[in-house]
Amino acid sequence: MHVSWKILAIAIAGVIGAAEVAAAECLPAAVPVIAVPATAPGSHTYTIAWDGDVALTPSFELQEATSDSFADAVTIAVSGALSKSIAAHSGVTADTRFFYRVRGIAACSGQAGEFSRSASIVVAATQSGEAADYSIGLPEGTTQPFVQDYLVPGFGETATIDDRFTLTLDAPWVTVFPAEGALSAGGTTVQFTIDPTKLSIGSSSATLTVKRTQLAGSVTALVPLSVSLAPPVRPLPRSVAPPAGTLIVPGVAHADGSNSHFQSDVRLTNSGAESVTYELAYTPTASDGTLTGKKASVDVAPNETKAFNDIVKMFFGSGLLGESGIGSLEIRPLRTASGAEPPSGTTFASSRTYNASSAGTFGQFIPALARAAFIANVATDPLAKISLQQVASNATNRTNVGFVEGKGEPAQLNVRLFDPAGTQLRQVSYSLKPFEHRQLNLNDATLFPGVTLDDARLEVEVTSATGLVTAYASVLDNQTSDPLLVSPVQAGRIATSRTVLPGVAELTSAKNFHTDMQIYNAGTAITKVTLSYRPQTGDSTAIPPEVSAVLDVGEVLPIDNVLPSFWGLSGTGGAVTLTTTSPAPLVVSARTFSRNATNGTFGQFIPGVTSTDAVGAEERALQVLQLEQSANFRSNLRVFEVTGNPATVEITGYSSSATTTPVMVFELSAGEFRQLGAAFAQLGLPTVYNGRIAVRVLAGSGRVSAYASVIDSRTEDPTYIPAQ
């Protein structure tokens, strides 16, 4: 058959054009996003996962290395899957970091795409059987039981053939074998076994009670256990434009300090009617959070509180083996179970950062802040200034100052230092990268080197057109390394004629408590303040006469040992109410603390409370998180009325799984301050490790607020947890 050259040329041209189109459609393999568990025991397998479409990219190359340079990388071929199970690193004898990255192989060309960002996991060595406490991290999805040896200590040289031990646990997900038996002089090794199928995502706590018996009597010791079942971590930075309801914990840590080791426990509550998916994003200090970070997602059921113990290490794998362990944490509510936007006012979070010592913990509450607590350019908003008072730098105290940018934009700051008289001593400028966290000692060369002050105040303002900023101060006792957090206050926005300072005390027993108080006049006029003291319910101390003080413009009035100084009182505790004849911008705060035998102190920072911080009838319930009632901690709840009017109050307790305890209802008289010692025990639960209490006003014209004091039973150190 004859075919013209013209027709043949057209046909050939068509084939060539189709090949060009096919080549153009053969795109490189997309860059995957990898997800890696934060930590896992050396005895356990774990899974590395990534995103992708196996129809377009059916093959991948996964690399494992012990260095972030991947110089010693081992390549693992994966076909037809978006995950790979990694065999247990049973030979690990010390905590070891393993790095992973993955790339796809395009189906159409067979060409390898770009590697993902690298991510790492800390494979943990077996803990000593002689540890004083145990903190264990397990990856989400594991069903393999975790077994840990524990050496029940023997009586040594005083041992007898009749020595015995008895072990008990207070959680259903952990067992011990043998639970009792003969005790040898050098100790007897037992094993406790954790069943991860009985755990939910987050941290679960328990206590191993060790009773050792001789004919002459018995000795009991407590061994705390914390198990964290953690979701995988993606090596992703934060994105700008966070949704409504986003909260930022300005400082979290797993890091060594001066004669101290600090770590952070976080609590997250969903008080809504639907399950909510949250994104937790950790930004390491001194980094641009739009370029660097780690993310994990977690679902929180209705009315549930999730615990994240030692969050930086256990949930992000940071703070050890050369990786920074200080930074900030962002909590974003993404969606409800039905796919809707989470309702406002139903997400609550808090954090406790503490010095973990061999004797126990010394901690401070750190709030989770909404964007409204951040400040913008002072040129467009003259009231946008943060004030931090009760700051000290001397032989007995040191202060760390933290700054956080919250919008994802660069920011320029002015930081000013004032003495109590309101005299500005120094001023420095400081810059932050987008989402950056920085924490510096007050004497740092970039802040106020060489400064020595017993009482000082800091003021922070944003001078750039971009950025939203918050700041905080952490004041530490140099002897005990006990920290207390000074929360940010926008003093110029306060306008109140009545402030209540709860939790003041002067007690001289073995568990002594004392209160140092400060009043800052942020206004433009000299202000007279009237102070009255009311003992807590059940305290027979007579109510003393009112006293007055006059504050100059910009003055901070420090009142050490306020109860004996103003009223000559001791052996009492309660609340101080401050009033003015007209609304004034007064910032009131206190530190209630104990002294040890060598005059070292440990205590809690307490801010003043106004009617806007409280709730009344037909308003939402206040939430108090971060509570525990166990052999290791006790939680005392304080409830008080702030306006001088009566109210009927309802107290409801929740365990982590949203189980409620019996409700308590009582009448609170005008201005009354009431303490519920060991609050969960009073509500019917003697042991709660991750507790929450809701405080609601049922009736009356009064407005009510509350806080909890969570006390470490070993150190007697209290942490102040405000209602929110």
Side-chain angles (χ1 to χ4, degrees):
M1 181 173 69
H2 176 73
V3 179
S4 73
W5 285 107
K6 183 176 181 181
I7 294 173
L8 181 60
I10 292 171
I12 292 172
V15 170
I16 294 173
E20 290 175 343
V21 170
E25 290 177 347
C26 186
L27 300 174
V31 181
V33 175
I34 197 168
V36 177
T39 183
S43 57
H44 278 51
T45 61
Y46 55 87
T47 299
I48 308 299
W50 53 91
D51 63 354
D53 185 342
V54 293
L56 298 175
T57 312
S59 300
F60 295 88
E61 289 181 350
L62 175 67
Q63 287 192 337
E64 178 188 83
T66 58
S67 166
D68 59 2
S69 69
F70 286 85
D72 62 344
V74 174
T75 300
I76 305 167
V78 180
S79 179
L82 298 175
S83 63
K84 177 63 178 176
S85 178
I86 305 298
H89 295 276
S90 54
V92 165
T93 58
D95 290 356
T96 304
R97 189 179 293 278
F98 289 88
F99 295 86
Y100 294 91
R101 63 183 182 181
V102 66
R103 63 181 176 180
I105 310 298
C108 55
S109 67
Q111 296 297 309
E114 293 182 29
F115 275 112
S116 66
R117 291 174 182 249
S118 66
S120 66
I121 178 176
V122 174
V123 175
T126 302
Q127 291 179 253
S128 167
E130 301 178 52
D133 57 74
Y134 292 89
S135 185
I136 299 151
L138 298 174
E140 179 184 11
T142 187
T143 59
Q144 180 183 349
F146 175 84
V147 180
Q148 171 69 50
D149 287 348
Y150 173 69
L151 179 67
V152 182
F155 286 101
E157 294 180 357
T158 62
T160 73
I161 61 172
D162 296 314
D163 296 350
R164 294 188 63 80
F165 69 88
T166 303
L167 307 175
T168 56
L169 287 155
D170 57 2
W173 44 262
V174 57
T175 56
V176 62
F177 181 82
E180 59 182 347
L183 181 60
S184 65
T188 299
T189 297
V190 301
Q191 290 184 326
F192 60 81
T193 301
I194 293 164
D195 182 354
T197 65
K198 295 181 179 179
L199 298 171
S200 61
I201 296 299
S203 297
S204 301
S205 298
T207 300
L208 175 66
T209 301
V210 182
K211 184 177 181 180
R212 299 179 298 144
T213 305
Q214 290 187 304
L215 292 176
S218 63
V219 178
T220 300
L222 304 174
V223 180
L225 310 177
S226 176
V227 181
S228 295
L229 194 65
V233 176
R234 294 165 292 148
L236 294 176
R238 286 153 64 180
S239 56
V240 298
T246 295
L247 300 173
I248 294 177
V249 180
V252 290
H254 180 94
D256 293 328
S258 176
N259 300 316
S260 56
H261 171 77
F262 288 95
Q263 55 195 56
S264 300
D265 295 348
V266 172
R267 301 292 183 264
L268 171 60
T269 294
N270 168 26
S271 67
E274 277 193 275
S275 176
V276 175
T277 298
Y278 292 91
E279 180 182 81
L280 310 181
Y282 168 67
T283 302
T285 192
S287 62
D288 183 333
T290 62
L291 302 176
T292 303
K294 295 184 177 184
K295 289 182 177 179
S297 296
V298 61
D299 293 334
V300 184
N303 245 346
E304 182 185 15
T305 298
K306 288 288 188 184
F308 304 99
N309 293 346
D310 198 2
I311 188 170
V312 174
K313 175 185 175 182
M314 290 299 180
F315 291 87
F316 292 103
S318 298
L320 65 168
L321 302 177
E323 187 171 292
S324 171
I326 301 176
S328 63
L329 177 72
E330 183 186 73
I331 301 170
R332 295 190 180 196
L334 298 181
R335 59 190 174 276
T336 65
S338 64
E341 181 178 319
S344 62
T346 58
T347 296
F348 301 91
S350 69
S351 175
R352 178 178 182 259
T353 292
Y354 53 92
N355 173 20
S357 73
S358 58
T361 65
F362 300 87
Q364 63 184 348
F365 168 82
I366 298 181
L369 302 174
R371 290 182 67 179
F374 286 63
I375 55 173
N377 188 0
V378 71
T380 58
D381 183 0
L383 299 181
K385 297 180 181 181
I386 285 174
S387 179
L388 303 166
Q389 62 195 50
Q390 285 195 274
V391 171
S393 179
N394 52 33
T396 57
N397 295 100
R398 63 188 186 275
T399 297
N400 294 324
V401 184
F403 308 99
V404 179
E405 200 286 315
K407 192 179 180 182
E409 300 175 345
Q412 190 72 26
L413 320 174
N414 277 341
V415 186
R416 298 188 177 93
L417 179 68
F418 294 86
D419 68 11
T423 302
Q424 180 176 309
L425 303 177
R426 300 186 193 178
Q427 175 180 320
V428 296
S429 296
Y430 205 80
S431 61
L432 291 174
K433 296 187 281 287
F435 290 135
E436 184 180 8
H437 165 275
R438 290 299 295 266
Q439 181 171 296
L440 305 162
N441 187 278
L442 190 67
N443 292 128
D444 187 87
T446 61
L447 282 179
F448 307 114
V451 69
T452 300
L453 283 170
D454 295 333
D455 284 299
R457 186 179 70 85
L458 291 170
E459 190 171 86
V460 180
E461 63 184 22
V462 176
T463 57
S464 57
T466 58
L468 289 174
V469 172
T470 191
Y472 64 88
S474 182
V475 184
L476 297 95
D477 185 293
N478 286 331
Q479 183 184 133
T480 65
S481 289
D482 177 47
L484 67 87
L485 186 96
V486 180
S487 299
V489 176
Q490 295 184 45
R493 301 194 191 283
I494 297 173
T496 182
S497 57
R498 186 182 179 95
T499 302
V500 176
L501 187 68
V504 298
E506 184 64 29
L507 302 171
T508 55
S509 61
K511 298 178 181 179
N512 63 90
F513 286 99
H514 318 274
T515 300
D516 293 345
M517 177 178 170
Q518 289 194 357
I519 312 169
Y520 165 48
N521 179 14
T524 57
I526 296 173
T527 301
K528 181 181 178 181
V529 184
T530 300
L531 299 91
S532 60
Y533 170 68
R534 175 165 177 164
Q536 69 184 23
T537 303
D539 186 334
S540 60
T541 301
I543 297 177
E546 295 178 342
V547 297
S548 297
V550 177
L551 283 82
D552 206 346
V553 175
E555 180 184 0
V556 177
L557 176 63
I559 315 160
D560 290 348
N561 298 309
V562 61
L563 292 182
S565 295
F566 268 2
W567 292 287
L569 296 176
S570 64
T572 183
V576 172
T577 300
L578 300 89
T579 58
T580 55
T581 55
S582 59
L586 295 182
V587 181
V588 183
S589 65
R591 179 175 184 251
T592 293
F593 60 95
S594 295
R595 293 189 182 94
N596 63 18
T598 56
N599 277 329
T601 66
F602 43 94
Q604 55 190 355
F605 179 84
I606 302 176
V609 178
T610 69
S611 62
T612 57
D613 305 314
V615 293
E618 299 184 3
E619 296 182 18
R620 70 170 182 88
L622 292 171
Q623 306 291 333
V624 189
L625 282 61
Q626 208 98 28
L627 307 184
E628 180 171 333
Q629 189 69 41
S630 69
N632 303 307
F633 289 87
R634 63 186 185 274
S635 297
N636 298 329
L637 182 72
R638 276 83 177 215
V639 184
F640 51 97
E641 199 285 318
V642 301
T643 63
N645 297 287
T648 303
V649 179
E650 174 192 81
I651 306 295
T652 306
Y654 297 86
S655 68
S656 58
S657 60
T659 302
T660 62
T661 70
V663 174
M664 179 184 294
V665 177
F666 55 85
E667 301 298 322
L668 204 64
S669 62
E672 183 180 355
F673 176 86
R674 180 179 297 197
Q675 172 173 296
L676 302 177
F680 277 104
Q682 292 198 42
L683 289 168
L685 280 181
T687 302
V688 177
Y689 284 102
N690 173 21
R692 169 172 62 98
I693 288 179
V695 179
R696 186 186 303 274
V697 176
L698 300 179
S701 56
R703 296 186 66 80
V704 172
S705 190
Y707 74 92
S709 186
V710 181
I711 302 167
D712 186 309
S713 299
R714 294 161 291 176
T715 63
E716 291 297 321
D717 177 57
T719 300
Y720 170 89
I721 311 290
Q724 52 180 306

